[in-house]
Amino acid sequence: MQKYALRCVECGTIQDTYSTHCDSHDSLLRTEYLEKKLIPRNLPGIWKYSEWLPVDGVIPEGSAHSVTYQSEGLGKELGLENLYISFNGYWPEREAWMKTCSFKDLESFPTMQRLLQHNDPRVMVVASAGNTARAFAHVASITGQPLLLIVPKMSKHRLWIPGDDTSSICTVGVGGDYYSAIELASRISCRNDFITEGGARNVARRDGMGTVMLDATLTTRRLPQHYFQAVGSGTGGVAVWEAAMRLVDDGRFGNQLPRLHLAQNLPCAPLYAMQSGADIDSSCPKGMWDDVLFNRQPPYNVRGGVKDALDNTNGLLYGITNKEAEEAKELFEVTEGIDILNAPSVAIAALIKAVHTQSIDPHDHILLNITGGGKERLEQEYATKELDFDLTVSPTNPEVENEIIDMITEKLGARDGQ
Ligand SMILES: *Cc1c(COP(=O)(O)O)cnc(C)c1O
């Protein structure tokens, strides 16, 4: 018997194991695991939570899980007695081993493992403003699976990996923002021989990110009352909500779902704008504190998406300015003693706001997701390798798809001929 089934959130019918859409609805599909109790396995990295991941095997090398610990410094500073941090990044002193330094590692490993076990030889296409590209490149450099990265040219500084085998990775730099990259990627992935990673619709991504909640709940032996995260698409929020519902069904960790506190960076905050009617500046994502938090088409209204997650948990969305994020980042780094990426400081600023507006109580159990960090720490120990663009293109060039396919054929062909 299969360890899980994929169910349409709208109509409840079971769909094919590898599909991303319901036959009849535009709803998200959700995994339903046979095992209702979460039993951690004695496996490395994220595979510890294999029971609730839609995979049958593991990629032992290179994967890591979140690390949950109780904050002393920041908690004391904010007067919070039960502040727990889910650290996703590299911090050996706390046994945090995510070598691309963001929680996108939680999505890339299960996604690529699924492709492997399905014997799917197609080229995985990933559009990314950086952190996702890095996470998928990291896996592909370990497994040798073919990967096409489509990245905004201005995000090149985020294109590095901790390993050095890039022979299966084809990298294209695109003029324009993340949206141009997404559009080009979706055109390419319609072709034979290519497959898209599926974004929020990919259950391996969501359940991978959901392990943040699994790790925290097993560590503290209870569900938190509040969950804080910086979001672009909001998929992480949906993922932890789904994980929390499974943990409620498990029965050992309480029956109250954590309240989602999701934070975006003003003025480039589409989710926040959908709820509050605020404007999105036409210059976005230029000037953002961290442009990984910009996504023009977040899965807000789709059934099982961000709106449902917020409604179901009495959740809140926050708009955070660059200045608030910058101050929050400094406070965190000083009080907790590790460098973090810019994005998670938007979540910390939201936590500070929630304390000031008394949306949370000093005794409440709070989980703060530090979605990326430890890059400076990693650089003390590892020589990271920068990925070069194999090709740079303008999204309006009518020949762009053919140019990309020629480049891939040449690069991967040369590799296969070795
Ligand atoms: C992608 C990303 C986020 C936002 O994730 P969602 O997909 O919106 O949940 C937050 N922080 C970092 C570091 C990221 O890479």
Side-chain angles (χ1 to χ4, degrees):
M1 205 160 159
Q2 274 265 5
K3 76 187 248 197
Y4 68 94
L6 286 194
R7 204 183 275 284
C8 169
V9 176
E10 176 89 36
C11 65
T13 57
I14 303 287
Q15 302 290 314
D16 180 79
T17 309
Y18 288 97
S19 59
T20 50
H21 289 79
C22 172
D23 296 333
S24 14
H25 298 98
D26 182 41
S27 153
L28 293 189
L29 304 182
R30 192 179 289 156
T31 16
E32 203 171 278
Y33 294 98
L34 207 56
E35 187 55 71
K36 299 296 176 201
K37 293 233 179 279
L38 176 60
I39 301 156
R41 292 237 202 120
N42 189 15
L43 287 171
I46 191 179
W47 315 114
K48 181 177 176 183
Y49 302 112
S50 281
E51 221 62 78
W52 286 2
L53 289 172
V55 296
D56 292 321
V58 308
I59 302 165
E61 211 184 340
S63 106
H65 61 75
S66 324
V67 168
T68 310
Y69 72 94
Q70 183 164 19
S71 163
E72 287 176 14
L74 183 66
K76 193 159 172 228
E77 189 69 31
L78 299 178
L80 298 172
E81 289 165 22
N82 297 297
L83 175 61
Y84 290 87
I85 289 173
S86 174
F87 187 82
N88 294 280
Y90 187 76
W91 194 358
E93 291 74 13
R94 290 207 183 263
E95 302 200 28
W97 307 111
M98 254 169 236
K99 284 206 205 141
T100 72
C101 298
S102 94
F103 81 152
K104 296 295 195 295
D105 273 27
L106 299 176
E107 309 177 47
S108 60
F109 278 92
T111 299
M112 294 304 257
Q113 170 55 31
R114 260 178 134 223
L115 214 57
L116 272 179
Q117 75 196 33
H118 196 37
N119 287 321
D120 196 327
R122 288 178 290 178
V123 178
M124 173 62 83
V125 185
V126 171
S128 162
N131 293 345
T132 303
R134 220 161 57 223
F136 277 85
H138 180 41
V139 185
S141 77
I142 291 168
T143 61
Q145 286 165 284
L147 175 69
L148 170 62
L149 297 178
I150 302 189
V151 182
K153 273 195 268 190
M154 63 187 175
S155 302
K156 187 166 192 302
H157 60 284
R158 296 210 196 90
L159 278 192
W160 52 267
I161 53 168
D164 52 19
D165 185 354
T166 57
S167 60
S168 69
I169 305 167
C170 302
T171 311
V172 174
V174 193
D177 67 8
Y178 180 46
Y179 190 64
S180 325
I182 288 187
E183 262 190 346
L184 182 56
S186 68
R187 273 192 277 152
I188 300 266
S189 45
C190 289
R191 300 192 166 218
N192 286 340
D193 307 329
F194 292 92
I195 179 172
T196 165
E197 45 83 28
R201 292 190 169 277
N202 173 356
V203 292
R205 271 187 92 154
R206 299 213 307 280
D207 292 357
M209 286 200 286
T211 62
V212 166
M213 186 57 72
L214 306 185
D215 194 83
T217 302
L218 283 189
T219 304
T220 63
R221 295 169 189 279
R222 57 162 293 168
L223 278 158
Q225 289 163 280
H226 304 276
Y227 172 79
F228 284 81
Q229 192 202 307
V231 293
S233 69
T235 311
V238 173
V240 298
W241 168 55
E242 293 174 317
M245 289 193 276
R246 289 182 191 118
L247 290 162
V248 167
D249 285 345
D250 175 305
R252 291 173 292 167
F253 307 107
N255 53 19
Q256 205 190 329
L257 291 174
R259 187 175 197 190
L260 296 186
H261 300 257
L262 307 180
Q264 293 215 294
N265 185 196
L266 293 173
C268 306
L271 285 168
Y272 182 71
M274 283 174 194
Q275 208 187 51
S276 67
D279 280 338
I280 300 169
D281 208 284
S282 61
S283 63
C284 291
K286 232 169 129 185
M288 280 181 83
W289 173 245
D290 194 336
D291 62 22
V292 306
L293 297 180
F294 193 62
N295 183 316
R296 280 178 208 269
Q297 295 180 321
Y300 184 69
N301 279 311
V302 65
R303 268 304 293 273
V306 179
K307 184 174 187 303
D308 283 353
L310 288 168
D311 288 349
N312 192 231
T313 62
N314 192 22
L316 292 170
L317 275 170
Y318 297 73
I320 299 298
T321 64
N322 287 11
K323 184 163 176 287
E324 289 167 331
E326 188 177 352
E327 286 168 7
K329 180 173 177 176
E330 220 175 275
L331 179 67
F332 186 93
E333 293 188 340
V334 169
T335 52
E336 295 295 325
I338 185 76
D339 66 285
I340 57 172
L341 300 185
N342 278 359
S345 61
V346 169
I348 302 163
L351 175 64
I352 295 170
K353 262 199 176 158
V355 169
H356 288 157
T357 57
Q358 296 175 342
S359 321
I360 50 177
D361 186 271
H363 313 292
D364 285 351
H365 277 253
I366 298 159
L367 180 62
L368 168 64
N369 189 345
I370 296 300
T371 46
K375 179 167 176 275
E376 287 165 24
R377 184 67 191 76
L378 181 95
E379 282 165 353
Q380 294 167 7
E381 278 168 38
Y382 286 88
T384 54
K385 181 183 168 81
E386 275 207 27
L387 294 178
D388 288 321
F389 289 138
D390 293 294
L391 188 68
T392 56
V393 298
S394 151
T396 51
N397 172 359
E399 283 302 305
V400 58
E401 288 173 52
N402 291 332
E403 280 180 18
I404 291 175
I405 285 166
D406 287 348
M407 178 274 289
I408 295 172
T409 310
E410 193 172 318
K411 180 159 180 175
L412 298 185
R415 178 186 72 134
D416 293 340
Q418 269 169 18

